[in-house]
Amino acid sequence: AQSVAQPEDQVNVAEGNPLTVKCTYSVSGNPYLFWYVQYPNRGLQFLLKYITGDNLVKGSYGFEAEFNKSQTSFHLKKPSALVSDSALYFCAVRDIRADSWGKLQFGAGTQVVVTP
Amino acid sequence: ETGVTQTPRHLVMGMTNKKSLKCEQHLGHNAMYWYKQSAKKPLELMFVYNFKEQTENNSVPSRFSPECPNSSHLFLHLHTLQPEDSALYLCASSQGWAESSGNTIYFGEGSWLTVV
């Protein structure tokens, strides 16, 4: 079984401050981990993913995420938030076992509000 | 432009109507998906198609009927829906054959469905 948790429904941050959106996961084997962003009335946009290799993954719009196997976490970070980063962020996990083909498990989402 | 195009973007239908949602991907992918996004609920995977073959039906009621005539097109036929089926329906695609490679799923902008 696989699951993903985003413990915060909403994160508030002032523009220019660091932004962190938390994600923890649970899988039986090794995970593939993804972050997506959804702007109002839009679909989900891919930000970044961890497959293997370097634990620090860099993605679109200045975002990065760090894979921490011991803590089963994949937190999304941005050093300096912009008002335009205000959106709904989803973490997702896929177990690499073949019988989970296509089953990308999404978290409930975290609303990020960046104030000027 | 996401490479995955959904039409219509908005649809209002009565409970006795029959309508269809259309999705087309221009990314050369082999796998296509339907997801449902409701308020206050995580994304729900509905159907998965790999090379036009349905590989996943996530216990979706029969009033939702998918069709995948080729790897680039996916339809969701709607019949005698209920008000609780009102949601954002997201189509997605991926280069899904090599499951173990952590292929990214790319989403369309979604079709907002309101059942009255």
Side-chain angles (χ1 to χ4, degrees), chain A residues 23-88:
Chain A
C23 173
T24 59
Y25 66 89
S26 174
V27 297
S28 300
N30 292 319
Y32 294 139
L33 294 155
F34 301 79
W35 275 103
Y36 287 84
V37 60
Q38 185 176 32
Y39 297 101
N41 302 313
R42 305 292 296 276
L44 275 67
Q45 294 181 32
F46 169 71
L47 279 179
L48 51 81
K49 69 180 178 183
Y50 171 81
I51 302 300
T52 187
D54 194 346
N55 289 344
L56 184 64
V57 180
K58 295 187 183 296
S60 306
Y61 312 121
F63 284 94
E64 59 186 29
E66 185 168 11
F67 171 62
N68 188 318
K69 188 172 184 178
S70 63
Q71 296 185 7
T72 61
S73 67
F74 190 56
H75 301 329
L76 181 69
K77 299 180 181 181
K78 186 171 184 179
S80 178
L82 301 172
V83 173
S84 57
D85 293 328
S86 298
L88 187 58

Side-chain angles (χ1 to χ4, degrees), chain B residues 16-112:
Chain B
T16 59
N17 291 159
K18 290 183 181 180
K19 297 286 185 182
S20 297
L21 305 180
K22 178 183 176 182
C23 176
E24 182 176 1
Q25 59 95 0
H26 313 276
L27 301 170
H29 289 164
N30 301 319
M32 298 190 75
Y33 312 74
W34 280 115
Y35 282 84
K36 177 183 178 182
Q37 186 179 25
S38 305
K40 309 295 184 184
K41 295 177 70 175
L43 262 69
E44 301 173 52
L45 177 64
M46 300 175 72
F47 302 103
V48 181
Y49 278 82
N50 183 29
F51 287 100
K52 304 186 299 178
E53 298 298 322
Q54 188 178 123
T55 58
E56 185 79 18
N57 178 338
N58 204 22
S59 302
V60 180
S62 59
R63 57 186 184 270
F64 295 92
S65 175
E67 178 189 1
C68 188
N70 54 60
S71 293
S72 298
H73 293 86
L74 184 64
F75 296 89
L76 188 62
H77 303 301
L78 314 170
H79 176 51
T80 60
L81 296 191
Q82 304 299 312
E84 58 265 29
D85 296 323
S86 298
L88 178 65
Y89 289 85
L90 292 163
C91 176
S93 71
S94 70
Q95 191 62 39
W97 179 244
E99 195 276 340
S100 61
S101 63
N103 294 308
T104 300
I105 294 178
Y106 293 93
F107 287 84
E109 296 287 357
S111 293
W112 285 97

